[in-house]
Amino acid sequence: MGKRKKSSRKPEGPRKADPLPTTFTCLFCNHEKSVTVKLDRKAGVGQLDCRVCGQKFQCAVNYLSAAVDVYGEWVDAADAVAKEDTGKTGHGGLASISGSSKRDYRSGRPAAGESDDGHHAAGVAAADDELY
């Protein structure tokens, strides 16, 4: 037994990489393939537009940038704005939900003036402090 001769194998050409996408899903209206990216490398600007909701974004690009990079920066910018907005409400925006409990979710304890089952305890002494 021996190896096959190299001459019997056909030469393989270079594999072609799949092209990167230029249309994406919108973060705000969730329509697929509605966001298009245009790169102006001479001006150094990447523009992103949603055809459905009209959302627009611009960022700086260089000669190595692709449409995916502009979309990634848009996602990062949207996340930064969302985190900034939740930081202003205090504890994740739960205050805007009607009927939400004022429970301190970090410690798991009810807020002052609220019993453990979520009802307001006006004038009722808590029995949790007594030892059995």
Side-chain angles (χ1 to χ4, degrees):
M1 291 214 205
K3 294 182 180 179
R4 291 187 179 201
K5 292 183 181 179
K6 291 196 179 216
S7 63
S8 65
R9 290 188 204 157
K10 296 181 181 176
E12 291 184 25
R15 293 186 180 184
K16 293 184 180 179
D18 293 332
L20 295 173
T22 57
T23 58
F24 304 96
T25 302
C26 182
L27 298 175
F28 297 97
C29 65
N30 290 327
H31 279 86
E32 293 183 11
K33 297 181 182 179
S34 65
V35 174
T36 56
V37 177
K38 296 176 187 172
L39 297 174
D40 187 4
R41 288 195 170 93
K42 280 189 176 182
V45 175
Q47 295 180 342
L48 181 138
D49 297 316
C50 178
R51 293 184 307 233
V52 178
C53 68
Q55 187 69 32
K56 295 180 188 258
F57 178 75
Q58 282 187 344
C59 67
V61 295
N62 58 23
Y63 68 98
L64 293 174
S65 297
V68 175
D69 300 321
V70 175
Y71 183 75
E73 285 193 35
W74 182 46
V75 170
D76 293 342
D79 285 344
V81 169
K83 284 183 183 177
E84 186 178 296
D85 287 345
T86 57
K88 289 181 181 177
T89 59
H91 58 298
L94 289 176
S96 64
I97 300 172
S98 63
S100 67
S101 174
K102 293 182 171 91
R103 183 176 292 261
D104 184 7
Y105 285 98
R106 284 170 264 138
S107 67
R109 292 187 219 120
E114 190 175 281
S115 68
D116 201 23
D117 59 354
H119 292 63
H120 292 285
V124 177
D128 293 339
D129 298 319
E130 297 177 14
L131 296 174
Y132 293 101

